[in-house]
Protein backbone atom coordinates (compact mmCIF):
# COMPACT_ATOMS: atom_id res chain seq x y z
CA UNK A 1 0.00 0.00 0.00
CA UNK A 2 1.46 3.34 -1.00
CA UNK A 3 1.90 5.71 1.87
CA UNK A 4 0.65 9.15 0.92
CA UNK A 5 1.20 10.72 4.30
CA UNK A 6 4.37 12.55 5.18
CA UNK A 7 5.91 11.81 8.54
CA UNK A 8 8.14 14.20 10.40
CA UNK A 9 10.10 12.77 13.26
CA UNK A 10 10.19 16.00 15.14
CA UNK A 11 7.86 18.75 16.07
CA UNK A 12 7.55 20.98 13.05
CA UNK A 13 7.73 24.74 13.12
CA UNK A 14 4.15 25.95 13.25
CA UNK A 15 3.45 23.48 16.01
CA UNK A 16 6.03 25.11 18.25
CA UNK A 17 3.42 24.63 20.95
CA UNK A 18 3.92 28.00 22.64
CA UNK A 19 2.50 29.99 19.72
CA UNK A 20 -0.18 27.44 18.73
CA UNK A 21 -3.43 29.35 19.12
CA UNK A 22 -6.15 26.74 19.12
CA UNK A 23 -9.69 27.46 18.00
CA UNK A 24 -11.18 24.29 19.48
CA UNK A 25 -9.97 22.11 22.35
CA UNK A 26 -11.48 18.70 23.02
CA UNK A 27 -11.05 16.25 25.86
CA UNK A 28 -11.82 12.63 25.03
CA UNK A 29 -11.91 10.12 27.90
CA UNK A 30 -10.84 6.50 28.07
CA UNK A 31 -13.32 3.92 29.29
CA UNK A 32 -13.58 1.08 31.74
CA UNK A 33 -15.98 -1.84 31.46
CA UNK A 34 -17.38 -3.44 34.58
CA UNK A 35 -18.67 -6.58 32.92
CA UNK A 36 -19.90 -7.80 29.53
CA UNK A 37 -16.65 -8.47 27.68
CA UNK A 38 -16.49 -9.47 24.02
CA UNK A 39 -20.24 -9.45 23.72
CA UNK A 40 -20.84 -6.05 22.14
CA UNK A 41 -20.27 -7.50 18.66
CA UNK A 42 -22.57 -10.40 19.56
CA UNK A 43 -25.52 -8.14 20.31
CA UNK A 44 -25.09 -8.32 24.08
CA UNK A 45 -25.32 -5.96 27.04
CA UNK A 46 -22.23 -4.23 28.38
CA UNK A 47 -21.61 -2.01 31.41
CA UNK A 48 -18.91 0.54 30.56
CA UNK A 49 -18.19 4.08 31.76
CA UNK A 50 -16.01 6.99 30.66
CA UNK A 51 -13.15 7.90 33.00
CA UNK A 52 -11.16 10.96 33.97
CA UNK A 53 -8.03 9.83 32.12
CA UNK A 54 -8.19 11.65 28.81
CA UNK A 55 -6.68 12.64 25.52
CA UNK A 56 -6.56 16.37 24.80
CA UNK A 57 -6.80 17.51 21.19
CA UNK A 58 -6.23 21.16 20.17
CA UNK A 59 -7.30 22.26 16.69
CA UNK A 60 -6.97 25.23 14.41
CA UNK A 61 -7.83 25.83 10.75
CA UNK A 62 -5.06 26.59 8.27
CA UNK A 63 -7.01 27.67 5.15
CA UNK A 64 -5.41 25.00 2.99
CA UNK A 65 -6.23 21.45 1.92
CA UNK A 66 -3.53 19.90 4.07
CA UNK A 67 -3.89 18.55 7.59
CA UNK A 68 -1.00 18.22 10.01
CA UNK A 69 -1.23 16.23 13.22
CA UNK A 70 1.36 16.34 15.96
CA UNK A 71 1.56 13.82 18.79
CA UNK A 72 3.13 15.44 21.81
CA UNK A 73 3.72 12.12 23.58
CA UNK A 74 5.68 10.64 20.70
CA UNK A 75 7.07 13.96 19.45
CA UNK A 76 6.16 13.02 15.93
CA UNK A 77 3.87 14.50 13.33
CA UNK A 78 2.46 13.75 9.91
CA UNK A 79 0.65 15.59 7.15
CA UNK A 80 -1.84 14.50 4.54
CA UNK A 81 -3.76 16.08 1.71
CA UNK A 82 -7.54 15.98 1.97
CA UNK A 83 -7.88 14.72 -1.60
CA UNK A 84 -5.55 11.80 -0.87
CA UNK A 85 -6.93 10.26 2.31
CA UNK A 86 -6.17 6.54 2.43
CA UNK A 87 -4.78 4.06 4.97
CA UNK A 88 -1.17 4.57 6.04
CA UNK A 89 1.51 2.07 7.06
CA UNK A 90 1.69 3.79 10.45
CA UNK A 91 -1.05 2.43 12.67
CA UNK A 92 -1.64 5.53 14.82
CA UNK A 93 -2.17 7.68 11.72
CA UNK A 94 -5.00 5.41 10.62
CA UNK A 95 -7.21 6.39 13.55
CA UNK A 96 -7.12 9.94 12.26
CA UNK A 97 -7.20 9.23 8.54
CA UNK A 98 -10.12 6.84 9.02
CA UNK A 99 -12.14 9.42 10.91
CA UNK A 100 -11.53 12.09 8.25
CA UNK A 101 -12.46 9.60 5.52
CA UNK A 102 -15.76 8.65 7.14
CA UNK A 103 -16.75 12.24 7.98
CA UNK A 104 -16.15 13.11 4.33
CA UNK A 105 -18.23 10.12 3.27
CA UNK A 106 -21.16 11.30 5.40
CA UNK A 107 -20.72 15.02 4.73
CA UNK A 108 -18.79 15.52 1.50
CA UNK A 109 -16.41 18.52 1.34
CA UNK A 110 -17.10 19.47 4.94
CA UNK A 111 -13.52 19.02 6.19
CA UNK A 112 -10.92 21.67 5.29
CA UNK A 113 -7.24 21.91 6.18
CA UNK A 114 -6.42 21.96 9.89
CA UNK A 115 -3.67 21.43 12.41
CA UNK A 116 -4.05 19.41 15.56
CA UNK A 117 -1.91 18.74 18.62
CA UNK A 118 -2.66 15.54 20.50
CA UNK A 119 -1.60 15.05 24.08
CA UNK A 120 -2.53 11.85 25.87
CA UNK A 121 -2.88 11.39 29.60
CA UNK A 122 -4.36 7.97 28.92
CA UNK A 123 -1.99 5.02 29.09
CA UNK A 124 -1.85 3.29 25.69
CA UNK A 125 -2.35 -0.46 25.31
CA UNK A 126 -3.74 -0.84 28.80
CA UNK A 127 -7.28 -1.76 27.79
CA UNK A 128 -8.65 1.73 28.51
CA UNK A 129 -9.47 2.29 24.85
CA UNK A 130 -7.14 5.10 23.95
CA UNK A 131 -8.06 4.23 20.35
CA UNK A 132 -11.75 5.08 20.74
CA UNK A 133 -10.77 8.23 22.65
CA UNK A 134 -8.55 9.30 19.77
CA UNK A 135 -11.18 8.54 17.11
CA UNK A 136 -14.10 10.18 18.90
CA UNK A 137 -11.97 13.13 20.04
CA UNK A 138 -10.80 13.70 16.48
CA UNK A 139 -14.33 13.42 15.06
CA UNK A 140 -15.76 15.79 17.68
CA UNK A 141 -12.97 18.31 17.14
CA UNK A 142 -13.43 18.35 13.36
CA UNK A 143 -17.19 18.67 13.80
CA UNK A 144 -16.74 21.68 16.10
CA UNK A 145 -13.98 23.32 14.06
CA UNK A 146 -15.94 23.28 10.79
CA UNK A 147 -19.39 23.39 12.32
CA UNK A 148 -20.44 20.10 10.70
CA UNK A 149 -23.85 18.74 11.50
CA UNK A 150 -22.93 15.34 12.99
CA UNK A 151 -24.99 13.67 15.70
CA UNK A 152 -23.46 11.79 18.62
CA UNK A 153 -24.67 8.54 17.09
CA UNK A 154 -22.93 9.41 13.82
CA UNK A 155 -19.69 10.18 15.67
CA UNK A 156 -19.93 6.83 17.47
CA UNK A 157 -20.52 4.79 14.34
CA UNK A 158 -18.12 6.61 12.02
CA UNK A 159 -15.37 6.19 14.63
CA UNK A 160 -16.14 2.46 14.78
CA UNK A 161 -16.06 2.33 10.96
CA UNK A 162 -12.65 4.04 10.97
CA UNK A 163 -11.33 1.33 13.26
CA UNK A 164 -12.78 -1.46 11.12
CA UNK A 165 -11.62 -0.16 7.77
CA UNK A 166 -8.46 1.85 8.42
CA UNK A 167 -6.99 0.17 11.50
CA UNK A 168 -8.35 -3.29 10.70
CA UNK A 169 -9.76 -4.25 14.11
CA UNK A 170 -13.35 -5.42 13.75
CA UNK A 171 -14.33 -3.98 17.13
CA UNK A 172 -17.82 -3.69 18.56
CA UNK A 173 -19.54 -0.42 19.48
CA UNK A 174 -18.93 -0.35 23.25
CA UNK A 175 -15.80 1.78 23.42
CA UNK A 176 -16.91 4.53 21.09
CA UNK A 177 -20.32 4.59 22.75
CA UNK A 178 -18.85 4.96 26.24
CA UNK A 179 -16.38 7.62 25.15
CA UNK A 180 -19.16 9.74 23.63
CA UNK A 181 -22.08 9.02 25.95
CA UNK A 182 -20.21 8.75 29.27
CA UNK A 183 -21.87 10.45 32.24
CA UNK A 184 -20.22 11.47 35.50
CA UNK A 185 -20.72 8.91 38.30
CA UNK A 186 -22.75 6.59 36.08
CA UNK A 187 -22.23 3.32 34.32
CA UNK A 188 -23.92 2.78 31.00
CA UNK A 189 -25.99 -0.38 30.66
CA UNK A 190 -25.93 -0.57 26.89
CA UNK A 191 -27.87 -2.94 24.68
CA UNK A 192 -25.52 -3.27 21.72
CA UNK A 193 -28.27 -4.60 19.42
CA UNK A 194 -30.18 -1.35 19.27
CA UNK A 195 -28.00 1.11 21.26
CA UNK A 196 -30.72 1.60 23.87
CA UNK A 197 -29.11 2.41 27.16
CA UNK A 198 -29.76 3.14 30.77
CA UNK A 199 -27.54 5.01 33.21
CA UNK A 200 -26.81 3.14 36.44
CA UNK A 201 -25.38 5.01 39.44
CA UNK A 202 -21.80 3.96 40.05
CA UNK A 203 -21.97 3.98 43.81
CA UNK A 204 -19.84 1.21 45.27
CA UNK A 205 -19.42 2.60 48.76
CA UNK A 206 -17.86 1.08 50.99
CA UNK A 207 -16.00 -0.57 48.11
CA UNK A 208 -13.88 1.02 45.46
CA UNK A 209 -12.84 0.20 41.92
CA UNK A 210 -9.12 -0.38 41.51
CA UNK A 211 -7.46 -0.79 38.13
CA UNK A 212 -4.14 -2.57 37.92
CA UNK A 213 -2.17 -2.33 34.72
CA UNK A 214 -0.18 -5.50 34.06
CA UNK A 215 2.07 -3.48 31.73
CA UNK A 216 2.08 -6.33 29.28
CA UNK A 217 0.69 -6.18 25.82
CA UNK A 218 1.03 -9.37 23.86
CA UNK A 219 0.42 -7.89 20.45
CA UNK A 220 -2.01 -10.64 19.63
CA UNK A 221 -4.81 -8.34 20.41
CA UNK A 222 -5.93 -7.29 16.93
CA UNK A 223 -5.56 -10.57 15.03
CA UNK A 224 -6.95 -12.73 17.84
CA UNK A 225 -9.76 -10.26 18.32
CA UNK A 226 -10.86 -10.66 14.71
CA UNK A 227 -10.56 -14.45 15.01
CA UNK A 228 -12.88 -14.47 18.04
CA UNK A 229 -15.40 -12.42 16.17
CA UNK A 230 -15.25 -14.86 13.25
CA UNK A 231 -15.65 -17.87 15.57
CA UNK A 232 -18.80 -16.32 17.01
CA UNK A 233 -20.18 -15.73 13.52
CA UNK A 234 -19.40 -19.35 12.62
CA UNK A 235 -21.24 -20.60 15.71
CA UNK A 236 -24.30 -18.50 14.93
CA UNK A 237 -24.39 -19.78 11.35
CA UNK A 238 -24.60 -23.38 12.54
CA UNK A 239 -27.27 -22.54 15.12
CA UNK A 240 -29.23 -20.63 12.48
CA UNK A 241 -29.53 -23.74 10.31
CA UNK A 242 -31.89 -25.15 12.95
CA UNK A 243 -33.04 -21.93 14.58
CA UNK A 244 -33.13 -19.13 12.01
CA UNK A 245 -34.97 -16.84 14.44
CA UNK A 246 -31.86 -15.85 16.41
CA UNK A 247 -30.28 -12.78 14.91
CA UNK A 248 -27.46 -12.49 17.44
CA UNK A 249 -25.49 -15.08 19.36
CA UNK A 250 -26.66 -13.69 22.73
CA UNK A 251 -30.27 -14.35 21.70
CA UNK A 252 -29.70 -18.10 21.71
CA UNK A 253 -31.01 -19.51 25.03
CA UNK A 254 -28.35 -21.34 27.03
CA UNK A 255 -30.11 -24.71 26.93
CA UNK A 256 -30.35 -24.54 23.16
CA UNK A 257 -26.68 -23.61 22.90
CA UNK A 258 -25.72 -26.55 25.11
CA UNK A 259 -27.46 -28.78 22.57
CA UNK A 260 -24.78 -27.80 20.04
CA UNK A 261 -21.89 -29.09 22.11
CA UNK A 262 -21.26 -32.11 19.92
CA UNK A 263 -22.07 -30.42 16.67
CA UNK A 264 -19.68 -27.49 16.93
CA UNK A 265 -15.88 -27.73 17.04
CA UNK A 266 -14.84 -27.53 20.71
CA UNK A 267 -13.32 -24.05 20.48
CA UNK A 268 -16.27 -22.62 18.61
CA UNK A 269 -18.67 -24.09 21.15
CA UNK A 270 -16.62 -22.66 24.03
CA UNK A 271 -16.70 -19.18 22.51
CA UNK A 272 -20.45 -19.37 21.96
CA UNK A 273 -21.37 -20.64 25.42
CA UNK A 274 -19.17 -17.99 27.00
CA UNK A 275 -21.00 -15.28 25.06
CA UNK A 276 -24.44 -16.51 26.10
CA UNK A 277 -23.40 -16.78 29.76
CA UNK A 278 -21.59 -13.45 29.86
CA UNK A 279 -24.64 -11.61 28.61
CA UNK A 280 -26.72 -13.12 31.42
CA UNK A 281 -24.04 -12.18 33.93
CA UNK A 282 -24.05 -8.57 32.78
CA UNK A 283 -27.78 -8.21 33.29
CA UNK A 284 -27.53 -9.86 36.71
CA UNK A 285 -24.61 -7.61 37.63
CA UNK A 286 -26.50 -4.44 36.72
CA UNK A 287 -29.40 -5.57 38.92
CA UNK A 288 -27.05 -6.53 41.74
CA UNK A 289 -25.53 -3.07 41.63
CA UNK A 290 -28.89 -1.37 41.80
CA UNK A 291 -29.76 -3.52 44.83
CA UNK A 292 -26.31 -2.86 46.36
CA UNK A 293 -25.58 -6.59 46.38
CA UNK A 294 -21.85 -6.05 46.08
CA UNK A 295 -20.90 -9.63 47.01
CA UNK A 296 -22.99 -10.96 44.14
CA UNK A 297 -21.62 -8.30 41.82
CA UNK A 298 -18.05 -9.25 42.75
CA UNK A 299 -18.64 -12.96 42.27
CA UNK A 300 -19.94 -12.22 38.75
CA UNK A 301 -16.67 -10.42 37.98
CA UNK A 302 -14.74 -13.55 38.99
CA UNK A 303 -17.01 -15.74 36.87
CA UNK A 304 -16.57 -13.43 33.92
CA UNK A 305 -12.82 -13.79 34.20
CA UNK A 306 -13.06 -17.55 34.40
CA UNK A 307 -15.04 -17.58 31.16
CA UNK A 308 -12.64 -15.19 29.46
CA UNK A 309 -9.64 -17.30 30.37
CA UNK A 310 -10.92 -20.87 29.93
CA UNK A 311 -13.62 -20.57 27.27
CA UNK A 312 -12.90 -17.40 25.33
CA UNK A 313 -9.12 -17.64 25.79
CA UNK A 314 -8.27 -13.96 25.69
CA UNK A 315 -6.43 -13.71 28.99
CA UNK A 316 -2.73 -14.31 29.70
CA UNK A 317 -0.59 -15.60 32.59
CA UNK A 318 -0.03 -12.18 34.07
CA UNK A 319 -3.74 -11.32 34.24
CA UNK A 320 -4.64 -14.78 35.55
CA UNK A 321 -2.04 -14.45 38.26
CA UNK A 322 -3.46 -11.11 39.38
CA UNK A 323 -7.01 -12.42 39.50
CA UNK A 324 -5.96 -15.57 41.38
CA UNK A 325 -3.96 -13.52 43.87
CA UNK A 326 -7.05 -11.42 44.60
CA UNK A 327 -9.07 -14.49 45.50
CA UNK A 328 -6.93 -14.92 48.63
CA UNK A 329 -8.37 -11.77 50.17
CA UNK A 330 -11.92 -11.43 51.43
CA UNK A 331 -11.67 -7.68 51.08
CA UNK A 332 -11.51 -8.10 47.30
CA UNK A 333 -15.04 -8.90 46.17
CA UNK A 334 -14.22 -9.46 42.53
CA UNK A 335 -11.52 -9.17 39.91
CA UNK A 336 -11.23 -9.77 36.20
CA UNK A 337 -9.33 -8.80 33.09
CA UNK A 338 -10.82 -5.83 31.30
CA UNK A 339 -11.17 -4.98 27.61
CA UNK A 340 -10.01 -6.96 24.61
CA UNK A 341 -7.44 -8.95 26.60
CA UNK A 342 -3.94 -10.39 26.08
CA UNK A 343 -2.61 -7.82 28.54
CA UNK A 344 -3.79 -4.48 29.87
CA UNK A 345 -5.60 -4.03 33.16
CA UNK A 346 -7.57 -5.96 35.69
CA UNK A 347 -10.55 -4.27 37.28
CA UNK A 348 -11.07 -5.03 40.97
CA UNK A 349 -13.72 -4.26 43.54
CA UNK A 350 -11.94 -3.71 46.84
CA UNK A 351 -12.96 -2.67 50.34
CA UNK A 352 -11.94 1.00 50.69
CA UNK A 353 -10.10 0.35 53.94
CA UNK A 354 -7.81 -2.23 52.32
CA UNK A 355 -6.96 -0.63 48.99
CA UNK A 356 -3.44 0.45 49.94
CA UNK A 357 -2.66 -2.93 51.51
CA UNK A 358 -4.01 -4.74 48.45
CA UNK A 359 -2.00 -2.67 45.99
CA UNK A 360 1.20 -3.09 48.00
CA UNK A 361 0.74 -6.86 48.33
CA UNK A 362 -0.19 -7.60 44.74
CA UNK A 363 2.53 -5.30 43.37
CA UNK A 364 5.18 -7.17 45.34
CA UNK A 365 3.89 -10.61 44.38
CA UNK A 366 3.63 -9.62 40.72
CA UNK A 367 7.13 -8.22 40.63
CA UNK A 368 8.50 -11.39 42.22
CA UNK A 369 6.69 -13.59 39.74
CA UNK A 370 7.20 -11.72 36.46
CA UNK A 371 9.95 -9.24 37.22
CA UNK A 372 7.67 -6.50 35.89
CA UNK A 373 6.07 -3.64 37.77
CA UNK A 374 2.33 -3.36 37.77
CA UNK A 375 0.81 0.11 37.83
CA UNK A 376 -2.27 1.00 39.82
CA UNK A 377 -4.47 3.48 37.97
CA UNK A 378 -6.84 5.65 39.91
CA UNK A 379 -9.97 6.45 37.97
CA UNK A 380 -13.13 8.42 38.52
CA UNK A 381 -16.14 7.99 36.34
CA UNK A 382 -16.57 11.07 34.21
CA UNK A 383 -18.46 12.67 31.34
CA UNK A 384 -17.94 11.70 27.72
CA UNK A 385 -16.04 13.60 25.07
CA UNK A 386 -16.41 17.35 25.47
CA UNK A 387 -15.33 20.66 24.06
CA UNK A 388 -13.48 22.51 26.77
CA UNK A 389 -12.58 25.54 24.70
C1 LIG B 1 -12.24 -3.94 22.60
C2 LIG B 1 -13.26 -3.55 21.53
C3 LIG B 1 -14.69 -3.51 22.09
C4 LIG B 1 -15.03 -4.77 22.89
C5 LIG B 1 -13.90 -5.11 23.87
C6 LIG B 1 -14.12 -6.43 24.55
O1 LIG B 1 -12.13 -2.93 23.56
O2 LIG B 1 -12.95 -2.30 20.97
O3 LIG B 1 -15.61 -3.30 21.06
O4 LIG B 1 -15.32 -5.82 22.04
O5 LIG B 1 -12.63 -5.14 23.24
O6 LIG B 1 -15.27 -6.40 25.31
Amino acid sequence: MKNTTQSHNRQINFLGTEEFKSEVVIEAPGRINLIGEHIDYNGGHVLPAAIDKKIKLSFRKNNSSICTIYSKNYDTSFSFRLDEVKPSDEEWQNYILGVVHFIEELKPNSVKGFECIIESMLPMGSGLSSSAALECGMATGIKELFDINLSKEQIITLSRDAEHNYVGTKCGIMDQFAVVRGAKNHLILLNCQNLNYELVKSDFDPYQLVLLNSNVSHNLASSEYNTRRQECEDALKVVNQKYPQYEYLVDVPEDIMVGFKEELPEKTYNRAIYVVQENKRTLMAANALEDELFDLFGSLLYKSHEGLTTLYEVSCNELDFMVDYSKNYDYVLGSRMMGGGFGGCTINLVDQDHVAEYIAGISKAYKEKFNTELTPIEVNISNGVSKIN
Side-chain angles (χ1 to χ4, degrees):
M1 181 188 314
K2 189 173 170 313
N3 199 346
T4 54
T5 63
Q6 273 197 0
S7 297
H8 319 279
N9 58 3
R10 280 183 307 107
Q11 182 174 333
I12 53 176
N13 288 341
F14 77 85
L15 293 171
T17 37
E18 292 307 312
E19 73 258 28
F20 188 89
K21 289 223 164 44
S22 49
E23 292 168 62
V24 167
V25 181
I26 301 290
E27 275 186 352
R31 66 100 189 88
I32 53 174
N33 184 28
L34 273 296
I35 192 164
E37 218 63 271
H38 281 277
I39 56 170
D40 54 351
Y41 52 84
N42 287 303
H45 287 79
V46 293
L47 197 56
I51 55 173
D52 59 351
K53 296 275 176 298
K54 302 183 182 193
I55 298 182
K56 184 172 152 200
L57 305 100
S58 311
F59 294 82
R60 74 176 183 198
K61 296 178 198 143
N62 64 11
N63 300 317
S64 78
S65 54
I66 295 179
C67 305
T68 300
I69 316 290
Y70 169 62
S71 157
K72 221 170 169 180
N73 299 62
Y74 294 117
D75 191 17
T76 183
S77 62
F78 76 106
S79 302
F80 60 93
R81 293 176 54 93
L82 282 166
D83 54 2
E84 282 183 359
V85 175
K86 57 170 83 156
S88 153
D89 299 335
E90 294 278 336
E91 183 169 276
W92 80 277
Q93 299 181 0
N94 284 326
Y95 293 101
I96 294 139
L97 292 161
V99 163
V100 171
H101 171 98
F102 283 101
I103 294 180
E104 276 291 296
E105 195 172 284
L106 276 174
K107 308 278 169 177
N109 300 318
S110 61
V111 185
K112 313 283 180 226
F114 67 91
E115 288 147 13
C116 173
I117 297 181
I118 301 169
E119 188 180 1
S120 179
M121 278 68 76
L122 188 57
M124 312 283 201
S126 52
L128 297 178
S129 205
S130 49
S131 41
L134 181 55
E135 293 150 6
C136 299
M138 188 51 64
T140 307
I142 294 173
K143 166 198 152 72
E144 294 291 339
L145 190 64
F146 298 110
D147 204 11
I148 306 171
N149 180 17
L150 283 173
S151 67
K152 287 192 181 217
E153 262 56 39
Q154 283 172 317
I155 289 179
I156 292 168
T157 52
L158 80 85
S159 297
R160 186 262 330 263
D161 293 345
E163 188 143 345
H164 281 202
N165 296 290
Y166 271 63
V167 182
T169 306
K170 305 288 181 196
C171 62
I173 200 75
M174 171 174 77
D175 300 352
Q176 291 78 8
F177 197 95
V179 167
V180 171
R181 286 272 180 213
K184 196 169 183 204
N185 297 331
H186 286 85
L187 307 171
I188 306 169
L189 178 62
L190 170 66
N191 179 342
C192 298
Q193 281 186 25
N194 49 23
L195 300 191
N196 289 341
Y197 69 102
E198 203 183 299
L199 295 178
V200 180
K201 263 199 152 208
S202 60
D203 186 1
F204 297 100
D205 192 44
Y207 299 94
Q208 188 181 317
L209 291 178
V210 175
L211 294 190
L212 297 171
N213 188 356
S214 65
N215 289 316
V216 296
S217 129
H218 285 289
N219 273 341
L220 279 168
S222 185
S223 62
E224 287 291 323
Y225 187 95
N226 291 348
T227 308
R228 293 299 176 282
R229 189 168 180 152
Q230 186 59 51
E231 287 165 337
C232 292
E233 283 168 20
D234 295 346
L236 183 59
K237 251 189 221 142
V238 174
V239 173
N240 278 160
Q241 287 164 7
K242 264 195 210 147
Y243 301 98
Q245 67 269 40
Y246 302 124
E247 201 181 332
Y248 294 94
L249 202 48
V250 296
D251 296 337
V252 184
E254 191 169 352
D255 56 337
I256 290 195
M257 189 51 88
V258 171
F260 282 87
K261 191 164 178 159
E262 303 308 322
E263 210 166 315
L264 288 169
E266 190 184 351
K267 263 192 190 173
T268 317
Y269 173 76
N270 286 347
R271 309 305 190 228
I273 197 79
Y274 161 79
V275 164
V276 168
Q277 292 171 347
E278 179 77 351
N279 191 47
K280 290 206 317 205
R281 278 192 287 266
T282 307
L283 293 168
M284 273 173 78
N287 285 333
L289 202 56
E290 281 187 85
D291 297 340
E292 298 190 8
L293 299 173
F294 298 124
D295 282 317
L296 174 60
F297 186 84
S299 71
L300 292 164
L301 298 190
Y302 277 130
K303 288 203 181 107
S304 167
H305 185 82
E306 206 179 302
L308 286 160
T309 192
T310 60
L311 299 171
Y312 217 68
E313 297 182 280
V314 289
S315 186
C316 61
N317 291 340
E318 291 87 346
L319 295 169
D320 290 346
F321 175 84
M322 287 156 76
V323 172
D324 283 344
Y325 176 94
S326 305
K327 287 184 181 157
N328 297 325
Y329 298 91
D330 287 344
Y331 57 73
V332 185
L333 294 190
S335 172
R336 64 174 202 88
M337 56 149 275
M338 192 182 74
F342 304 104
C345 290
T346 59
I347 184 164
N348 309 277
L349 189 60
V350 187
D351 186 323
Q352 276 162 4
D353 294 339
H354 293 273
V355 168
E357 176 189 343
Y358 172 59
I359 291 176
I362 196 166
S363 303
K364 184 161 175 281
Y366 187 78
K367 172 89 197 216
E368 274 166 19
K369 174 86 179 164
F370 297 107
N371 200 24
T372 307
E373 303 284 344
L374 64 74
T375 318
I377 304 178
E378 197 190 313
V379 291
N380 295 298
I381 294 182
S382 88
N383 285 328
V385 64
S386 42
K387 178 171 176 282
I388 56 165
N389 217 324

